Amino acid sequence: MAIQLQHVSKQFNKKEVIHDMSLDVHKGEIFGILGPSGAGKTTVVKMIAGIDMATKGTIHVLGERMPNLQTMARIGFMAQSDALYGELTALENLDFFASIYGLKGKKKKQRIEDVLQLVHLTDDMKKAVHQYSGGMKRRLSLAAALLHEPDVLILDEPTVGIDPLLRQAIWEELERIRQKGTTIVVTTHVMDEAEKCMRLAMIRNGRLMAVGSPDELKKQTGAQTIEQAFLHFGGMYA
């Protein structure tokens, strides 16, 4: 098992925002966390990445209890807000992040070229990031998360502000790296992206409503779409 959450709860200022959540993510799968804004998706993935700590319960990633610095080095994390240096170019940003990940020489150069090509930023790599559109910044953030070929890749709303064609290319790339053994966790509120995940956790108001493959969840509820299935499970927690 790549990721295990056991009875995880999280409080902010005495308010519980994640309630007794338990779930497993299998190695080498694309696992989606589906829920509306404010459902707790970002809080969950930050705890998995070791950026935040659970108030109760345990989280294990790659067999280690989180947070764990060595394990965190094996995780790629793309946050909702772009952690980029606006005064630097895209190339300089990636060079900086690659150095942090310990990439050197030819390997570093090759990985930077590869990720820039993937997110279609090669032509703009020498432009200062503050000149980038929101969508371009999202693409650069994804490139940075992929640089060190992590064992676990966590993407928090990765395709917000990205055009449909590039979105499709990104999902094709996610499938390619999954086939090489990377475990991928994606948060989304976009139903067609949820359909692309091998399994889904549906959450609402910090509670886990259901887990299963898109087909299993639709079958359980007699729904034609993931959206209908989500509304069915969501109604149970209204």
Side-chain angles (χ1 to χ4, degrees), residues 30 111 114 118 149 170-182 184:
I30 299 179
R111 284 304 298 154
D114 289 347
L118 164 68
E149 298 176 283
I170 286 169
W171 274 92
E172 286 169 1
E173 176 65 11
L174 293 182
E175 175 57 25
R176 189 185 71 77
I177 64 174
R178 181 200 72 77
Q179 289 177 9
K180 290 171 68 177
T182 301
I184 302 170

Coordinates of all heavy atoms in Angstrom, one line a residue, residues 30 111 114 118 149 170-182 184:
I30 N -3.9 5.9 -10.0 CA -4.3 7.3 -10.0 C -5.5 7.4 -9.1 O -6.6 6.8 -9.5 CB -4.6 7.9 -11.4 CG1 -3.3 7.9 -12.3 CG2 -5.1 9.3 -11.3 CD1 -3.5 8.4 -13.7
R111 N 16.1 16.7 -17.3 CA 14.8 16.7 -16.6 C 14.1 18.0 -16.8 O 12.9 18.1 -17.1 CB 15.0 16.4 -15.1 CG 15.2 15.0 -14.8 CD 14.1 14.0 -15.3 NE 12.8 14.3 -14.8 CZ 11.7 14.0 -15.4 NH1 11.7 13.5 -16.6 NH2 10.5 14.3 -14.8
D114 N 12.8 18.0 -20.3 CA 11.6 17.1 -20.4 C 10.3 17.7 -19.9 O 9.3 17.7 -20.5 CB 11.9 15.8 -19.7 CG 12.9 15.0 -20.4 OD1 13.3 15.3 -21.5 OD2 13.4 14.0 -19.7
L118 N 6.8 18.9 -21.7 CA 5.6 18.3 -21.3 C 4.5 19.4 -21.1 O 3.3 19.2 -21.6 CB 5.7 17.5 -20.0 CG 4.4 17.2 -19.3 CD1 3.6 16.2 -20.1 CD2 4.7 16.6 -17.9
E149 N 11.1 13.1 -10.5 CA 10.4 11.8 -10.8 C 10.0 11.1 -9.5 O 10.5 10.0 -9.1 CB 11.4 10.9 -11.6 CG 11.7 11.5 -13.0 CD 12.7 10.7 -13.8 OE1 13.9 10.7 -13.4 OE2 12.3 9.9 -14.7
I170 N -1.9 16.5 -20.3 CA -1.4 16.3 -18.9 C -1.9 15.0 -18.4 O -1.2 14.2 -17.8 CB -1.8 17.5 -18.0 CG1 -1.0 18.7 -18.3 CG2 -1.7 17.1 -16.5 CD1 -1.4 20.0 -17.7
W171 N -3.2 14.7 -18.6 CA -3.7 13.4 -18.1 C -3.1 12.2 -18.8 O -2.9 11.2 -18.2 CB -5.3 13.4 -18.3 CG -5.9 14.0 -17.1 CD1 -6.3 15.3 -16.9 CD2 -6.2 13.3 -15.8 NE1 -6.8 15.5 -15.7 CE2 -6.8 14.3 -15.0 CE3 -6.1 12.0 -15.4 CZ2 -7.2 14.0 -13.7 CZ3 -6.5 11.7 -14.1 CH2 -7.1 12.7 -13.3
E172 N -2.7 12.4 -20.1 CA -2.0 11.3 -20.8 C -0.6 11.1 -20.2 O -0.2 10.0 -20.0 CB -1.9 11.7 -22.3 CG -3.2 11.5 -23.0 CD -3.2 12.1 -24.4 OE1 -2.1 12.6 -24.8 OE2 -4.2 12.1 -25.2
E173 N 0.0 12.2 -19.8 CA 1.3 12.1 -19.1 C 1.2 11.4 -17.8 O 2.0 10.6 -17.4 CB 1.9 13.5 -19.0 CG 3.3 13.5 -18.3 CD 4.4 12.7 -19.0 OE1 4.2 12.4 -20.1 OE2 5.4 12.5 -18.3
L174 N 0.1 11.8 -17.0 CA -0.1 11.2 -15.7 C -0.2 9.6 -15.8 O 0.3 8.9 -15.1 CB -1.3 11.8 -15.0 CG -1.2 13.2 -14.6 CD1 -2.5 13.6 -13.9 CD2 0.0 13.5 -13.7
E175 N -0.9 9.2 -16.9 CA -1.1 7.8 -17.1 C 0.2 7.1 -17.5 O 0.6 6.0 -17.0 CB -2.1 7.5 -18.2 CG -2.3 6.1 -18.6 CD -2.7 5.1 -17.5 OE1 -3.3 5.6 -16.5 OE2 -2.4 3.9 -17.6
R176 N 1.0 7.8 -18.2 CA 2.4 7.3 -18.6 C 3.3 7.1 -17.4 O 3.9 6.1 -17.2 CB 3.0 8.2 -19.6 CG 4.3 7.6 -20.3 CD 5.0 8.6 -21.2 NE 5.6 9.7 -20.4 CZ 6.8 9.6 -19.8 NH1 7.4 8.4 -19.7 NH2 7.3 10.6 -19.1
I177 N 3.3 8.1 -16.5 CA 4.2 8.0 -15.4 C 3.6 7.0 -14.3 O 4.4 6.4 -13.6 CB 4.5 9.4 -14.7 CG1 3.3 10.1 -14.2 CG2 5.3 10.2 -15.7 CD1 3.7 11.3 -13.4
R178 N 2.3 6.9 -14.3 CA 1.7 5.9 -13.5 C 2.1 4.5 -13.9 O 2.4 3.6 -13.0 CB 0.1 5.9 -13.5 CG -0.6 4.9 -12.6 CD -2.0 4.7 -13.0 NE -2.1 3.9 -14.3 CZ -1.9 2.6 -14.4 NH1 -1.6 1.9 -13.3 NH2 -2.0 2.0 -15.5
Q179 N 2.2 4.3 -15.2 CA 2.6 2.9 -15.7 C 4.1 2.6 -15.3 O 4.5 1.5 -15.3 CB 2.4 2.9 -17.2 CG 0.9 2.8 -17.6 CD 0.7 2.8 -19.1 OE1 1.6 2.7 -19.9 NE2 -0.5 3.0 -19.5
K180 N 4.8 3.7 -15.1 CA 6.2 3.5 -14.6 C 6.3 3.2 -13.1 O 7.4 3.0 -12.6 CB 7.1 4.7 -15.0 CG 7.3 4.8 -16.5 CD 7.9 6.2 -16.9 CE 9.4 6.3 -16.4 NZ 10.0 7.6 -16.8
G181 N 5.2 3.3 -12.4 CA 5.2 2.9 -11.0 C 4.9 4.0 -10.0 O 4.8 3.8 -8.8
T182 N 4.7 5.3 -10.5 CA 4.4 6.4 -9.7 C 2.9 6.3 -9.2 O 2.0 6.0 -9.9 CB 4.6 7.7 -10.4 OG1 5.9 7.8 -10.8 CG2 4.3 8.9 -9.5
I184 N -0.2 8.3 -7.9 CA -0.7 9.7 -8.1 C -2.0 10.0 -7.4 O -2.9 9.2 -7.5 CB -0.9 10.0 -9.6 CG1 0.4 9.7 -10.4 CG2 -1.4 11.4 -9.9 CD1 0.3 9.7 -11.9

